Amino acid sequence: MQIEVVTLFPEMVRGALAHGVVGRAIERGLARVGTEDVRAHTSDPHRTVDDRPYGGGPGMVLKPEPLLAAIRAAHARLPAGSPRICLSAQGEVFDQASAHELAGLPGLLLVAGRYEGIDERAIELGMDRELSIGDYVLSGGEIPALAVIDAVVRLLPGVLGDERSSIEESFAEGLLDWPHYTRPEVFEGRAVPQVLLSGNHAAVRRWRLGQSVARTWSRRPDLLALHGLAAEASGLLNEYLAARAGGGRKVEGESHEQDRSGNREEPHDPRGSGFQAG
Ligand code: 4FV
């Protein structure tokens, strides 16, 4: 896959892509990421890329001329069928499903804005869709573009190999990931759940699914509403809710995380009086 990023800070984008899974994928030629500097498409001595907003108001707006010229130059380097995507807080929200969709394309053009926003005519003339990584305002589109690149490149064939992550699996089912543990077996008085030491793969799989379902119920009920639950997962949720209701009591000793974020009771009670699926 070939990706081009139109940006005022090409070095910021290149810098972030030189590391980890994505950096290795690029080194191995499994993905190619180029940048196009908007300022290279200015014609005035001050290399002006922004101007004051018509109608007044705070901040500056990205001018259409250099931005559109940069988009056209970068898009010309991409294979046919490569969408021109603007990263903006006004876009449709980017999620794992859209990452899978984009990973199936031959190429992507990602436009990273700056300032208050982009002249609307550049969006009308130079973009096919707008994507947002979440309902908060950033100072530029580079970090959103990097988030999209990371989520997409790790889905490309050969990038993750057997590192395919559990979180991908769980998210693919619309569930949050299960808790992970590694050595030591006991850390600051907290033991790894026994089932994970049992070697009983069926029980481990069931426990993990139970944890994912319970966590999703307690932290992201919107995901359950969106994706629903398969039969086994639904059964495990009922077990969890019964266990929770059964005692009617607050699950004693539940993880400290509860206090901080005020989520509903967390499933896994490190001292074993909570819900243990499977
Ligand atoms: C954003 C987001 C975002 C808005 C003005 C860049 C900033 C500035 N992009 N998801 N949230 N963009 O906040 O994608 O130009």
Side-chain angles (χ1 to χ4, degrees):
M1 166 178 260
Q2 186 182 348
I3 300 172
E4 290 287 343
V5 183
V6 172
T7 170
L8 281 164
F9 300 110
E11 66 288 351
M12 176 184 173
V13 172
R14 283 199 297 276
L17 292 174
H19 311 279
V21 166
V22 175
R24 281 196 300 281
I26 292 168
E27 273 163 19
R28 292 163 55 202
L30 298 173
R32 276 175 301 131
V33 182
T35 57
E36 185 71 29
D37 186 346
V38 178
R39 220 173 276 284
H41 295 270
T42 56
S43 47
D44 67 305
H46 302 294
R47 308 184 83 205
T48 306
V49 295
D50 62 322
D51 203 342
R52 288 177 293 105
Y54 276 118
M60 301 293 271
V61 175
L62 265 180
K63 291 169 61 62
E65 308 95 323
L67 181 60
L68 204 51
I71 289 170
R72 287 167 174 162
H75 200 232
R77 292 197 293 269
L78 286 168
S82 302
R84 303 165 300 171
I85 298 173
C86 175
L87 285 306
S88 94
Q90 285 67 49
E92 55 189 288
V93 173
F94 177 72
D95 62 9
Q96 194 65 15
S98 24
H100 279 283
E101 178 214 338
L102 297 181
L105 298 171
L108 295 176
L109 178 80
L110 302 177
V111 180
R114 279 274 157 178
Y115 309 106
E116 290 308 306
I118 294 171
D119 185 290
E120 192 64 20
R121 294 160 296 181
I123 297 176
E124 290 159 3
L125 293 165
M127 326 254 184
D128 302 304
R129 58 196 288 197
E130 292 186 58
L131 279 182
S132 167
I133 63 165
D135 299 338
Y136 40 83
V137 179
L138 302 168
S139 52
E142 285 78 13
I143 291 171
L146 289 164
V148 169
I149 292 170
D150 193 302
V152 168
V153 167
R154 57 187 288 116
L155 295 175
L156 299 176
V159 170
L160 279 185
D162 64 357
E163 296 157 283
R164 184 149 296 293
S165 83
S166 61
I167 193 163
E168 230 116 48
E169 272 162 52
S170 46
F171 249 117
E173 286 150 36
L175 294 174
L176 296 185
D177 204 11
W178 52 73
H180 297 277
Y181 297 86
T182 187
R183 286 179 292 198
E185 201 174 307
V186 179
F187 176 70
E188 296 193 1
R190 294 178 179 224
V192 169
Q194 277 310 311
V195 63
L196 299 179
L197 310 172
S198 68
N200 177 337
H201 299 305
V204 168
R205 189 195 61 74
R206 205 173 136 71
W207 179 85
R208 285 174 167 172
L209 179 57
Q211 293 295 315
S212 285
V213 167
R215 281 178 154 203
T216 308
W217 180 85
S218 70
R219 301 179 191 184
R220 293 289 309 279
D222 57 300
L223 288 175
L224 292 185
L226 194 62
H227 299 280
L229 279 178
E232 183 185 18
S234 171
L236 286 167
L237 180 57
N238 295 335
E239 261 187 54
Y240 166 63
L241 296 175
R244 228 175 119 264
R249 53 178 171 62
K250 200 160 174 15
V251 175
E252 177 253 330
E254 63 195 278
S255 76
H256 67 289
E257 183 186 341
Q258 160 64 29
D259 310 329
R260 202 174 50 239
S261 58
N263 286 327
R264 299 182 199 163
E265 272 101 1
E266 283 294 313
H268 169 60
D269 171 353
R271 273 161 278 195
S273 59
F275 163 68
Q276 298 289 345

